[in-house]
Amino acid sequence: MRPARLLLLGGSTEGQLLAAALDGVPGLEVISSVAGRTAQRRPLPGRLRVGGFGGVSGLVRYLAGESIGAVVDATHPFAATMSEHAAQACQQLGLPLLRFTRPPWPAEPGDDWISVPHAAAAATALAETGRLSGLERVLVTTGRSDLTALAELADHWFLIRSIEAPTGPLPAHHEVLLDRGPYRYENELSLMSERHIQLLISKNSGGVATAAKLRAARALDLPVLMIQRPAHPDVPVVFSTSDAQQWVMAQFG
Ligand code: NAP
């Protein structure tokens, strides 16, 4: 019988939802793990550990040392390194691994999305002469780790929305708006109209909390530079808390 101890890789809404759903399950200990990037964390039930493991080898040592019986990777869709490390470590130890995530947003009728593979490609698309020429007022919602890619763009003005203040290089003309979702459609519409936004840069994170900006961009006929998700390892995936919960219960009998 596997030890009834689950490692839940979080830092996401899904991590919070599953930790809450498994809180109080008799005989099951859930250890939530976060990278520790944000200073203001939402409270989580159960045990919490903070910080990296030290690569795949560090994670293998941690899983073995803590007698972890199964792992749920509920990290954000753009946290691809952690997902890859989890897949490799679990394979080495023969541990069951589930990915709990949210589906990407699909483009809807009326959307004007330009797909790019990463933030650097979004910067290139802005700098090139072409259909985005003249669109100088840009709302950026990618999170602060992707802003370096935009730092050299001096001909645009960026409204940078992020949960915590950016620390790396930023473009010459910008304003930082500190805010945290969930966001409402009416507010997104007002923000984009009042600030005369002409273009949105977003990651395809999926989920409901931050989807209103896409509806607002559609209503205002704004193009969206949509950064596609990185590739993830081939492991079983679920998209709902109840499916994730069921999988966990099945692992521990
Ligand atoms: P990443 O590139 O996949 O991970 C970089 C390193 O951070 C990992 O190798 C690992 O360090 C450590 N790490 C990441 N997630 C961890 C976790 N849950 N517990 C312990 N260590 C973790 O991830 P990232 O994009 O920097 O994101 C970091 C965290 O922020 C993730 O947990 C993610 O869920 C959350 N987040 C990310 C985004 C985003 O857009 N990327 C958005 C919202 C939330 P070691 O190699 O030392 O183990």
Side-chain angles (χ1 to χ4, degrees), residues 8-12 32-37 49-56 58-59 73-85 102 142-143 145-146 163 203 205:
L8 174 53
L9 298 167
S12 63
S32 286
S33 174
V34 297
R37 302 271 196 281
R49 68 163 299 288
V50 181
F53 297 95
V56 177
L59 181 56
D73 170 16
T75 54
H76 188 272
F78 280 80
T81 306
M82 189 68 250
S83 295
E84 183 56 42
H85 289 182
R102 49 189 111 143
T142 55
S145 58
D146 288 289
I163 296 175
K203 286 175 170 170
S205 299

Side-chain angles (χ1 to χ4, degrees), residues 40-209:
Q40 291 173 1
R41 266 191 301 279
R42 295 198 165 109
L44 274 171
R47 204 168 127 191
L48 176 71
R49 68 163 299 288
V50 181
F53 297 95
V56 177
S57 57
L59 181 56
V60 166
R61 272 195 304 278
Y62 178 86
L63 293 168
E66 289 285 340
S67 303
I68 301 293
V71 178
V72 173
D73 170 16
T75 54
H76 188 272
F78 280 80
T81 306
M82 189 68 250
S83 295
E84 183 56 42
H85 289 182
Q88 288 184 30
C90 287
Q91 193 181 27
Q92 281 184 34
L93 293 171
L95 281 180
L97 169 66
L98 178 76
R99 178 152 175 75
F100 172 27
T101 190
R102 49 189 111 143
W105 293 308
E108 295 190 15
D111 280 334
D112 178 9
W113 289 8
I114 300 149
S115 268
V116 286
H118 39 64
T124 304
L126 276 182
E128 278 169 353
T129 315
R131 59 166 298 216
L132 300 182
S133 296
L135 304 182
E136 288 162 5
R137 295 182 64 84
V138 184
L139 172 62
V140 188
T141 61
T142 55
R144 54 186 182 157
S145 58
D146 288 289
L147 297 172
T148 310
L150 305 175
E152 299 299 317
L153 297 177
D155 295 333
H156 296 76
W157 174 83
F158 295 92
L159 181 58
I160 294 168
R161 182 166 71 187
S162 67
I163 296 175
E164 290 187 354
T167 50
L170 295 177
H173 310 292
H174 72 269
E175 183 182 324
V176 174
L177 176 62
L178 295 182
D179 203 356
R180 177 177 221 151
Y183 299 104
R184 290 164 53 90
Y185 170 67
E186 294 74 17
N187 297 345
E188 297 291 59
L189 204 56
S190 308
L191 177 75
M192 292 184 198
S193 320
E194 285 164 14
R195 309 308 296 271
H196 307 289
I197 297 299
Q198 297 173 300
L199 176 93
L200 169 67
I201 305 182
S202 171
K203 286 175 170 170
N204 195 337
S205 299
V208 291

